[in-house]
Amino acid sequence: MNKSLPILDQSFESTLRKHQIELKRKEIKILQVNIGKLCNLACLHCHVEAGPKRTENMVRETADRILDLLRKEPQIHTVDITGGAPEMNENFRYFVSEIRKMGKEVIDRCNLTVFFEPGQEDTIQFLADQKVKVVASLPCYLSDNVDKQRGKGTFVKSIDALQQMNDLGYGKPGTGLELDLVYNPVGEHLPPGQAKLQEDYKVYLKDNFNIEFNQLYTITNMPIKRYAHMLEREGKMVEYMQLLINAFNPRAAEAVMCTELISISYDGQIYDCDFNQMLEIPLNWKDRTVFNIESFSSLEEDIAFDNHCFGCTAGAGSSCAGAIL
């Protein structure tokens, strides 16, 4: 049980039973890998609690074991690499290159400002050469909101990075270089409609900065880690949890990402999702690592749920690919 959450009148699992929803793991198609908590930013909403002082980073031995397992899993079509700032891991380029040799899609969860760090000058070119799909954080198209959530000066750097990516073909039709953006609410509310907000982003960024991108993902802020600490300091945790519960959507619950995805931490531990990973809720409440399994396909069907899961099932739902519905 996530002890940072308040005791609720109803649990997530009892809510599933009430709606006669049974969720089990299906065939795993997406592998999400957090290769480290080191980051050049320390954003207010970060559920990883990543930052410049974090030392947890995936070593080559763990990366190689994941690669060995992946070669046996043709049904896993996508490897979603996240952090921290994943590009800051010394094994990032090796890991990406080896996965691309298998013909699998690679997603880089990027904060955009990392490209201005020492040693990252050619990272955009590397991503383009490897045809890596970039999913970039831009929690608003207005500078004040971005800097409030992510730190002073991040908006200007983010715009510069997006323009550089556009120059290489990212976000442009027919290039095969996909650039998606991620919106997180600044306040304690659910994201607005994804389609309408995407259009707003596209118009504003094109008119003001001549920036193009493919899709916008709207993601609900999860009540865990750094965001949970902020809610607790401001006395808004109970109110926010009630908002998520009241907005529970059975259709969104039936399509949550953890039925086709597993998440691996920097040290090789396996979890049902990135959020469970940060709360250290192990897969099916058991110890599973890339070093003590023979294949990803052998993992149990049961999924470990807790009350933070209301965040994925509120309103239009939320996943690493944006709104579910």
Side-chain angles (χ1 to χ4, degrees):
M1 177 66 68
N2 178 8
K3 294 183 174 62
S4 68
L5 293 181
I7 298 174
L8 306 174
D9 291 336
Q10 61 188 96
S11 69
F12 183 76
E13 290 187 285
S14 69
T15 302
L16 291 180
R17 290 193 294 271
K18 174 183 176 182
H19 291 274
Q20 298 182 318
I21 298 172
E22 183 178 17
L23 296 175
K24 297 284 187 180
R25 195 180 333 280
K26 305 171 187 175
E27 184 178 68
I28 299 169
K29 298 179 180 178
I30 300 173
L31 189 69
Q32 189 170 72
V33 184
N34 187 306
I35 64 173
K37 299 184 180 182
L38 176 65
C39 188
N40 60 309
L41 299 178
C43 301
L44 289 175
H45 67 288
C46 182
H47 67 278
V48 181
E49 293 187 315
K53 296 182 180 180
R54 300 304 294 261
T55 59
E56 303 94 328
N57 252 335
M58 183 173 288
V59 299
R60 178 67 69 92
E61 179 187 11
T62 306
D64 280 335
R65 177 56 179 164
I66 294 171
L67 293 169
D68 288 343
L69 291 169
L70 267 176
R71 293 186 181 100
K72 306 174 186 177
E73 306 280 354
Q75 85 285 354
I76 296 180
H77 55 69
T78 299
V79 180
D80 186 345
I81 305 175
T82 184
E87 305 87 354
M88 296 178 73
N89 184 302
E90 63 180 3
N91 296 302
F92 173 74
R93 298 192 186 196
Y94 165 75
F95 193 52
V96 168
S97 300
E98 292 300 307
I99 297 168
R100 291 297 292 139
K101 289 176 184 176
M102 300 179 205
K104 299 182 187 294
E105 181 180 61
V106 173
I107 296 174
D108 175 30
R109 299 270 168 178
C110 177
N111 71 29
L112 294 173
T113 67
V114 71
F115 299 138
F116 302 97
E117 294 296 310
Q120 301 290 337
E121 295 83 3
D122 63 341
T123 300
I124 297 176
Q125 185 66 61
F126 168 78
L127 295 172
D129 291 344
Q130 293 290 329
K131 295 193 179 301
V132 172
K133 175 179 175 179
V134 175
V135 177
S137 300
L138 192 69
C140 186
Y141 52 73
L142 300 176
S143 61
D144 288 348
N145 286 342
V146 173
D147 286 359
K148 177 182 177 182
Q149 192 177 91
R150 307 180 68 201
K152 187 176 181 180
T154 56
F155 181 78
V156 171
K157 287 184 177 179
S158 297
I159 293 299
D160 190 349
L162 289 171
Q163 290 171 334
Q164 291 185 42
M165 297 184 77
N166 276 179
D167 289 343
L168 286 180
Y170 268 102
K172 302 279 187 175
T175 64
L177 297 175
E178 188 168 350
L179 171 61
D180 297 336
L181 301 182
V182 175
Y183 164 88
N184 292 87
V186 175
E188 300 77 38
H189 53 79
L190 297 179
Q194 184 167 282
K196 175 60 169 63
L197 188 60
Q198 174 176 290
E199 184 59 26
D200 292 343
Y201 262 70
K202 282 183 175 287
V203 170
Y204 188 88
L205 293 177
K206 180 67 174 176
D207 288 351
N208 290 275
F209 306 105
N210 198 31
I211 288 172
E212 297 179 65
F213 66 94
N214 297 101
Q215 298 181 76
L216 177 75
Y217 299 161
T218 57
I219 297 181
T220 300
N221 287 328
M222 298 296 288
I224 66 173
K225 295 295 183 174
R226 196 171 286 159
Y227 188 67
H229 300 330
M230 185 191 75
L231 291 171
E232 289 163 354
R233 285 195 307 270
E234 297 179 358
K236 296 180 179 179
M237 175 61 86
V238 173
E239 178 184 346
Y240 187 68
M241 284 303 305
Q242 198 60 54
L243 170 71
L244 299 180
I245 293 170
N246 292 344
F248 176 82
N249 187 335
R251 289 177 56 225
E254 290 172 343
V256 288
M257 63 184 178
C258 52
T259 59
E260 296 183 346
L261 171 150
I262 56 169
S263 176
I264 301 177
S265 66
Y266 74 93
D267 58 358
Q269 294 285 330
I270 304 174
Y271 300 87
D272 292 296
C273 72
D274 189 46
F275 307 120
N276 279 14
Q277 180 185 148
M278 297 312 140
L279 292 170
E280 299 182 354
I281 299 174
L283 190 85
N284 194 31
W285 306 98
K286 299 175 182 177
D287 179 34
R288 294 285 183 269
T289 81
V290 295
F291 298 105
N292 66 16
I293 63 167
E294 293 302 317
S295 71
F296 295 125
S297 299
S298 66
L299 296 172
E300 298 91 337
E301 294 181 345
D302 290 337
I303 300 171
F305 295 110
D306 207 334
N307 288 343
H308 64 281
C309 300
F310 279 114
C312 289
T313 59
S318 181
S319 74
C320 289
I324 295 174
L325 303 177

